[in-house]
């Protein structure tokens, strides 16, 4: 049995690489999927495929057509979603991915620094597990497959 | 036929009152529901009902138990969700309510200032309608019931 | 018990008025809902609410944001959909409304002239009943409530 | 992970061959499915299997029994639907396939020439992505699997 | 709170009248719905509405288009289904209505003479309650609303 | 808007009366439903309606046919479930009702004495709110409808 | 892509063997599943596993516990159901399997002799395809996978 | 075809080993999944991953976050659930797993000693099969795959 895990969160750091490496070390039966991590490509993919758009709002709409299509297909395949929040970005798209998972009855591990506990309190309460680091997330993930 | 509309968004301003008043003026067949709008009561309701909690994180968890229960029941009844975003707050709970609506196949009208188009691009793309003011939202809402 | 029926089809003729009148004569326990029937208003509602759009494609997209919101909410409430096809228009939106009904497990009465049997054969096969006139549709509708 | 893509649209040209060839060149992890592409066989399959039918309407009904069975099974397996519209045919069955995908919460890429933007506006608004060529569709599809 | 109960079964005897009378005597908060009970009208309704059909098979198909439409709409509204089997008829349509209820997660009370226990064993095992008379069915129904 | 609340739990004490009285005092827009509270009637209803059964196991099966039918219909109507656990009884049926609510995506308020926190830990974690008394449950319930 | 087909129908003849052989000859990508075909074993499996039952009705209930469990698991896996009706048996369980498939939105091929068209009219109308022989069923099945 | 079976029940004895060994002997096409069977690890996993908690109630909540995540993911994958009850433990979590399976329309085999028939009567009535030993459960399981 193999499990698919969608990694939702900012695409500015390499947190996914860390998480995948740890999972690989533990040989977890997991395939990771996620968004386009090249930030510029992600922002411009709409214009690239659909052509130049009349203004920045439509530029973003076109990009989101393409990015949301990718998210929808991969998120649908996921057995679990791990969403990471940090202090820097607005992350409304991360909140959307995490909430969509829960609304689709897919379990969610939420990674967030403790200082963000207040603005994330509602999402955290609904998540299956709230942790403060990739390390804790990996432990919760590994436990799913652990045989005593 | 009466329709239930859930109003998601910050509870610091009286934007819901404005929206409800406009709807009433137009005599729309709509009942509005939403979160507890007294911010302090909302933040402390967990401690009030369940008792003092050991620390701020648990204080927020207890409040979210109670607030999320309210949201879940009322959101489930909604035929439509209107979510308002502004520049001031983190609004990850608003993003959660808006995304949950979409994931539950409930239509969404998103109200946001144009300058927030970039961080809200993904949610905006999935919303049925994105507007910049309560006035535009009311017009889109009223159109649903309009007879030529 | 009251039933809600969504009337899908072109908004250039008054076929809905005929159908509603006949239903009323028979005193059927039915409330009819449907799209905006003022064709110009329907086409321009996007620009009217959301503002002038950069080009005709975006003009249509904006209108469809608003019109599809209306369709989604009303179609969701429907217990039955009646879709009328004629020879004049492309009616891809009518096909969309009719198919959505079926995909949402809502029954469908399809009204079409016999000469359109070939291009409508797939949709007709999936519809509950295919008739050639509003009169026949009303009879099928009335039969639902008839007591022997 | 392999993905199944249903190709909906007219069966008079070889547009699917072009799309599949491009996908293969890019080595996308995709299996394509679709309707019977031999137009005469598709139209006559009902009579062939079920026997001669009393008139052209029943001839079409019998064929649609068989063709719709195929569509239903393959469409259900699909992770994504790509629907192509052109100017020549009525394409109400294409609209049905595309709309069914959306109603079943399966993502849709819509390919249509820009001059058809007006009659396809409602379907286009609901589609995940609207493009004007097989090339653009392939790019949107490929992006789903692209690793930065 | 009012409950809707669909009465599935043969339309040759007046068993429904007996059941409704008993329910009314007990003042149960129940509305009963069911098929057309005039057997000839039921069999001929297709020809009546859609016109004469080429042969008996199509005659039955047309009637079933209309009758199944009625069943689908009323069964969908039902909170409970009561299905009665007797020894005389084939009752494959009754088995279909009863099974559809269960498959749609609607509870089912099955009324059948004990001597039919063997051919009905699978359906009986899946039914919520199996009884041998309308009297027993009414008692099971009444118990739902009984306050101690 | 009226809400239906299913009260799951032992039928040996009058805890439901206390809860309903408090709700009435607060004039909450709630209708309460629940199981047969006459314990003997509940245990014997199968034999009473279906006749004497061959042994105690079948006696219980017959009673459960009838009681589970009632639970299923009323639980399906519920917008919220409140489940009470105490120390005296096995309450596996209460656990079943509470868990069914959650699995059907209905919110759950769990009432249990703190000393039962360990054996109820899994159910408590999944419940929306865990409280220790009817009073706390009523407060959480009332908060849903409270306007600031 | 492999497809699973559930074969519902009497277990007194070897019609399944004929169907499987034909499918194998055509090398269709299909795995067939179905009920226990040893009629005595099927009838007695309840007593065999659960022990002697008090009377024939409970004997049948026990067998149906076991047989229905098998049907449920295998039917759930099916992409398509083929149901065969003949003149000899009551076949209410066959009607249940066929109807359950349709109610679960699984396509159905119905095989029945033409002389049974009247009692099977409702089920036939809802089935995707109605044929009169295993041969015709195989052709409809094979067409699903045929490439022009 | 391989089937996944979730084994719900106490983690104090080795009943799962017995069941798996018997299944392996019969070469059933089954993969078994279940909870963490090391009781201490299960109870303390929350503290281990998330850190020391303020009191025993939160200690259990943290453990349940982690354990429920595992249960949710594995239970979702299951085609069948086997739940074992014994006399010693409260087993409210076992009742939760068993009921969740049924509520998610997954079949359930219930293993319980006959002397527990009364407190388990409601759950037993809803289960597909109720047996008294692992041996009987294995027989019911094996029958699913048996070819005559």
């Amino acid at each position: 049995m193999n499990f698919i895990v969608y990694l939702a969160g900012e695409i500015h750091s390499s947190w996914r690489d860390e998480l995948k490496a740890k999972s690989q070390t533990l040989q977890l039966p997991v395939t990771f999927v996620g968004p386009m991590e090249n930030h510029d490509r992600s922002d411009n993919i709409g214009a690239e495929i659909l052509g130049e758009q009349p203004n920045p709002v439509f530029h973003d709409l076109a990009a989101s057509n393409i990015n949301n299509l990718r998210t929808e297909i991969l998120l649908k395949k996921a057995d679990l979603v791990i969403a990471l929040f940090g202090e820097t970005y607005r992350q409304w798209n991360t909140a959307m991915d995490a909430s969509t998972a829960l609304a689709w009855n897919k379990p969610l591990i939420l990674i967030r620094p403790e200082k963000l506990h207040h603005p994330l309190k509602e999402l955290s309460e609904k998540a299956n597990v709230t942790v403060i680091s990739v390390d804790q997330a990996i432990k919760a993930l590994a436990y799913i497959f652990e045989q005593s």
Side-chain angles (χ1 to χ4, degrees), chain A residues 36-138:
Chain A
M36 163 53 61
E37 292 180 47
N38 178 326
H39 185 259
D40 285 345
R41 185 153 174 73
S42 179
D43 268 2
N44 294 312
I45 197 66
E48 187 184 312
I49 294 180
L50 305 175
E52 276 305 303
Q53 302 296 308
N55 63 46
V57 175
F58 286 115
H59 179 91
D60 278 350
L61 174 62
S64 297
N65 283 157
I66 311 290
N67 283 304
N68 280 350
L69 170 65
R70 173 177 171 141
T71 304
E72 191 177 325
I73 286 186
L74 299 179
L75 196 61
K76 280 218 158 84
K77 290 277 188 182
D79 296 297
L80 167 78
V81 175
I82 298 178
L84 175 137
F85 280 82
E87 295 191 60
T88 313
Y89 306 100
R90 295 283 202 169
Q91 296 160 111
W92 284 319
N93 57 335
T94 307
M96 177 166 89
D97 295 344
S99 307
T100 299
L102 291 169
W104 285 350
N105 290 130
K106 291 177 188 288
L108 171 74
I109 295 175
L110 179 67
I111 308 174
R112 59 101 180 92
E114 201 172 291
K115 66 166 57 163
L116 285 181
H117 76 87
H118 193 68
L120 276 171
K121 60 193 179 299
E122 292 87 359
L123 185 50
S124 172
E125 195 269 344
K126 295 206 79 67
N128 290 62
V129 187
T130 299
V131 295
I132 62 170
S133 68
V134 161
D135 262 350
Q136 288 188 344
I138 279 288

Side-chain angles (χ1 to χ4, degrees), chain A residues 9 18 52 141:
Chain A
E18 181 198 346
E52 276 305 303
L141 178 63

